[in-house]
Amino acid sequence: MPPGIFSRVLDVPVPAVTCMAHDVPVRTALYQNHLEAGATMVDFHGFELPIQYSSIRSEHLACREHAGLFDVSHMGFFTFEGTGVREWLSSVSTQDVSKFAPGRCGYTHFLDNDGQIIDDMIFAVEADDLVHGVPNSSMVEVMLNWLNPLLPDDASIRLTDRSGRTSILALQGPSAPSIASIVFGRDGYPGRFKCRNIPVNDLGIEGWIQGTGYTGEAGVEIFVDEGDAPGLWSAIMEAGRDFGIVPVGLGARDTLRLEKGYLLSGQDFLWPGLNEPPSEDLPENFLSRGTLESNVPFGLSPDHDFIGRAGMEKRAMQNVRWSGLRCISRGPSPRLGHQVHSSENEDSLIGYITSGAPSPSLGVGIGMAYLEDPEPGRVVFIQTSPKRRVAAEIIRPPFL
């Protein structure tokens, strides 16, 4: 790919899986690297990926304290190119992409005409006429089908799907900038939510690098040709040896993102256009949500018009918001589908947990839930079993 075209120690559940139509799961270019590192492999969205190498807890804490390396090649990779591309993206997404200068990254939602989230995406602006985007793994085809009909009729803007031939490595943690600088040279770390082409390096690897990630830590996501991925993985692990780097699987990736209050597509929101039922423990269409309901302020620029805006605002009038819950009494940790009540004993349902697990960093159970009229600091009660409710405090994420 040419330059300029890239950007159970703990009882932790496997992240929600929506498999693609594959008879056999796809193996990424890093499959052999995972086996050599002792990974336990699982089928995740139709890809064979590591759930853990040692334990979810140890991998989680290593990433918080030192550095972790992830294979996120299951994620998609789009390129949007053409005159006025940032303005066009602004018209079809909740973020005003036109305000982002070249070399900057951002986060956005794509809504349908009724204001419901279809997917979320990190985007990176390479130039005035060139933007890269990372859709979720199970949503690549869905987003292509949604966005292609919205492209200008004069073909002035082009959307290219580069997912199939791109490997994505995520290097995350406090030591990640130092490791990236060893591997790619002094300019190897672009900075938080900044991006650039990979600088000339001793490995001879070209591609795209951006200071983003799903852990909330400093770090980078690196986009390279599949053939370069195994050697790059080995080089990063070698460069990070003295920094305490470890390979990290999907299990710790989920607990890391949960501590930072990041949405998980398909679990914390689910577009009804997919015609896929949510967990049997949730009411029908409970996960059909708009951006204001998801309570993620950094994904919305309110001073521009975009598809779904009116529907999003109408939905928000119900005053249901995605909120954090930190357990303050002993008991089982929150889980997907657990009811949340305003009273310890009465039938006082105010919402449901969408993501929950023990927090390795905090040592308590944490969860995310859509709640009616959530007030930070208020104590509510999570129905963790038929006969037990655990007290929890409503907080505004992140938990750390």
Side-chain angles (χ1 to χ4, degrees), residues 39-79:
T40 299
M41 308 295 286
V42 297
D43 184 345
F44 182 75
H45 292 287
F47 288 84
E48 195 166 3
L49 291 169
I51 188 68
Q52 65 182 48
Y53 299 84
S54 53
S55 74
I56 292 173
R57 182 178 186 276
S58 63
E59 291 166 25
H60 178 114
L61 294 176
C63 189
R64 285 275 182 254
E65 297 167 4
H66 305 293
L69 184 59
F70 305 72
D71 178 8
V72 291
S73 303
H74 60 296
M75 301 293 286
F77 188 47
F78 291 170
T79 292

Side-chain angles (χ1 to χ4, degrees), residues 74-335:
H74 60 296
M75 301 293 286
F77 188 47
F78 291 170
T79 292
F80 306 91
E81 190 171 9
T83 302
V85 67
R86 289 183 297 165
E87 289 73 19
W88 175 78
L89 276 169
S90 298
S91 73
V92 299
S93 70
T94 59
Q95 189 62 266
D96 189 351
V97 183
S98 66
K99 292 183 177 180
F100 288 75
R104 295 284 180 172
C105 305
Y107 172 80
T108 192
H109 291 165
F110 293 91
L111 308 182
D112 66 12
N113 294 314
D114 295 321
Q116 302 166 122
I117 301 172
I118 304 172
D119 196 22
D120 57 358
M121 184 184 294
I122 292 287
F123 63 87
V125 181
E126 180 172 338
D128 289 337
D129 60 354
L130 182 59
V131 181
H132 307 295
V134 185
N136 286 289
S137 57
S138 63
M139 296 299 290
V140 170
E141 185 176 355
V142 174
M143 289 307 302
L144 286 172
N145 291 337
W146 173 256
L147 293 172
N148 273 318
L150 302 176
L151 292 169
D153 293 335
D154 61 4
S156 58
I157 296 172
R158 299 173 299 283
L159 166 55
T160 304
D161 177 18
R162 304 187 180 278
S163 309
R165 56 185 187 271
T166 303
S167 290
I168 311 174
L169 284 67
L171 171 61
Q172 302 283 297
S175 298
S178 298
I179 298 170
S181 296
I182 292 173
V183 175
F184 295 123
R186 184 177 61 182
D187 298 325
Y189 178 61
R192 189 167 180 80
F193 269 73
K194 296 181 180 180
C195 52
R196 58 162 296 166
N197 289 302
I198 292 176
V200 176
N201 56 84
D202 293 339
L203 297 174
I205 289 178
E206 298 175 343
W208 181 254
I209 187 167
Q210 55 192 48
T212 56
Y214 203 40
T215 66
E217 296 291 341
V220 292
E221 291 177 307
I222 311 162
F223 302 74
V224 297
D225 184 88
E226 284 186 315
D228 291 328
L232 177 58
W233 177 281
S234 298
I236 292 173
M237 290 300 296
E238 178 61 29
R241 179 178 298 179
D242 293 339
F243 293 91
I245 192 173
V246 301
V248 184
L250 294 167
R253 184 172 183 262
D254 197 50
T255 55
L256 287 160
R257 70 92 189 172
L258 179 57
E259 288 183 346
K260 291 297 181 177
Y262 293 158
L263 292 159
L264 177 58
S265 177
Q267 181 163 320
D268 298 312
F269 65 88
L270 180 65
W271 185 44
L274 298 175
N275 295 316
E276 294 181 3
S279 164
E280 61 183 16
D281 297 318
L282 295 175
E284 185 176 1
N285 292 327
F286 182 79
L287 295 178
S288 172
R289 299 295 175 177
T291 300
L292 291 173
E293 293 169 279
S294 74
N295 216 10
V296 183
F298 51 83
L300 172 67
S301 177
D303 56 356
H304 80 294
D305 196 20
F306 52 88
I307 291 175
R309 174 168 179 157
M312 175 196 73
E313 292 173 341
K314 182 179 180 180
R315 297 178 61 86
M317 294 175 65
Q318 302 173 22
N319 205 26
V320 173
R321 295 292 184 271
W322 200 60
S323 304
L325 293 173
R326 186 181 190 275
C327 293
I328 56 176
S329 65
R330 295 178 62 85
S333 294
R335 297 294 188 210

Side-chain angles (χ1 to χ4, degrees), residues 325 341-342 350 372-380 392-395:
L325 293 173
H341 291 264
S342 60
I350 58 171
E372 299 172 6
D373 300 311
E375 180 182 346
R378 177 184 172 191
V379 175
V380 294
E393 179 184 8
I394 298 176
I395 72 159

Side-chain angles (χ1 to χ4, degrees), residues 2 8 14 151 190 320 358 370 381 391:
R8 190 75 70 153
V14 175
L151 292 169
V320 173
Y370 287 104
F381 299 88

